[in-house]
Amino acid sequence: MRLPLPKQERENPLSEHIGEVIETSTTEFLAQCLEPEELNFPTMPPFGSWVKSFDEESGNKIFAVVTNVTTAPVDSVHKARALGLTLAELREQQPQIFAMLRTEFRAVIIGFETPATNDNNGYSPSNGNIYQYLPPRPPQIHQGVFRCVPDEVIKFTANPDFLRVLLQMQNTPVESLIAATLRESYRLRNGDRTWLVNAGRTLSVLLKNDYDCLKYILSQVHW
């Protein structure tokens, strides 16, 4: 069963509801992908892609980047085994397989946006403010998780300081994560080379004492 969407997402038809928070903490959350209606595996969000959730109490929109995706049996006692079948053959011969697996992804929180206000003398609501640091609270458990739409990523990444937050991540391949996030942001910006050069300059300042790390990251960003 899918939970009702937050008001912000009901008004945004481009948002794609892809998961639900099943474990949450100050710095990251774990989400389980929603099961598709047809016989298929859940859609995995790509490594380094942008997702969002919400803190219902404050109304903050919480931005995060996907750091790890796993698919495993629902029953931890029994391991999956190779069947030598195509996806079409699985649907025909072993349809129960799709109900026996779950897909989860972990995402690190890198910022948030406050709710839009309506204090402009009755005119159109103002946009919320974006902050590139940890929010007061993470999303609550069982909160929906959505893909970020391009406009949200473009707005959030206008200031490249988010790279400083990514560099502080623990228990994840930081260099590969930053490169993947830059590639995705660059794609959503339709190849804005000026933005990419500015992001590279910011990285060069942040990694001024680690040239090898900087070189490795930039070698993975293609334009």
Side-chain angles (χ1 to χ4, degrees):
M1 181 181 69
R2 300 198 175 194
L3 298 175
L5 302 185
K7 181 176 183 295
Q8 301 97 314
E9 299 314 299
R10 292 198 301 270
E11 297 173 352
N12 189 348
L14 296 178
S15 289
E16 182 183 355
H17 191 191
I18 60 171
E20 182 178 324
V21 176
I22 59 173
E23 183 181 304
T24 186
S25 69
T26 299
T27 58
E28 63 181 9
F29 58 82
L30 179 67
Q32 183 173 336
C33 291
L34 301 178
E35 295 182 5
E37 295 181 1
E38 67 281 357
L39 281 179
N40 209 339
F41 298 114
T43 300
M44 290 184 175
F47 176 68
S49 61
W50 295 83
V51 295
K52 61 188 174 184
S53 191
F54 295 87
D55 170 19
E56 288 285 355
E57 292 186 28
S58 66
N60 289 336
K61 180 190 297 183
I62 297 169
F63 292 96
V65 171
V66 175
T67 60
N68 191 50
V69 185
T70 59
T71 298
V74 174
D75 181 356
S76 59
V77 176
H78 300 93
K79 291 185 177 181
R81 61 185 180 87
L83 298 176
L85 302 175
T86 65
L87 189 58
E89 290 170 338
L90 278 176
R91 293 192 185 101
E92 182 179 349
Q93 302 177 31
Q94 301 284 342
Q96 74 280 2
I97 290 292
F98 298 95
M100 297 169 60
L101 299 172
R102 67 174 184 271
T103 298
E104 299 173 349
F105 63 91
R106 192 168 295 276
V108 293
I109 299 170
I110 59 173
F112 64 102
E113 180 180 352
T114 56
T117 60
N118 202 11
D119 55 2
N120 295 340
N121 297 320
Y123 293 100
S124 60
S126 64
N127 293 325
N129 295 320
I130 284 180
Y131 300 95
Q132 295 184 341
Y133 53 79
L134 292 175
R137 286 186 296 268
Q140 289 89 350
I141 200 162
H142 294 305
Q143 186 64 265
V145 182
F146 307 82
R147 292 187 194 275
C148 289
V149 299
D151 284 350
E152 290 172 322
V153 177
I154 291 170
K155 183 179 177 182
F156 188 89
T157 59
N159 183 346
D161 284 350
F162 72 93
L163 295 169
R164 183 186 299 273
V165 183
L166 289 178
L167 282 170
Q168 299 171 354
M169 295 297 102
Q170 303 291 326
N171 303 318
T172 190
V174 172
E175 295 94 340
S176 296
L177 175 64
I178 292 175
T181 303
L182 285 175
R183 288 195 303 269
E184 175 70 1
S185 303
Y186 183 56
R187 181 186 68 81
L188 294 174
R189 287 176 165 274
N190 295 317
D192 184 349
R193 184 173 175 81
T194 300
W195 173 85
L196 187 62
V197 170
N198 187 37
R201 288 172 176 166
T202 300
L203 265 182
S204 68
V205 172
L206 295 173
L207 295 172
K208 59 185 177 182
N209 296 322
D210 195 346
Y211 176 75
D212 288 341
C213 179
L214 174 64
K215 182 179 178 181
Y216 182 64
I217 292 172
L218 296 180
S219 71
Q220 298 179 60
V221 181
H222 311 291
W223 58 82

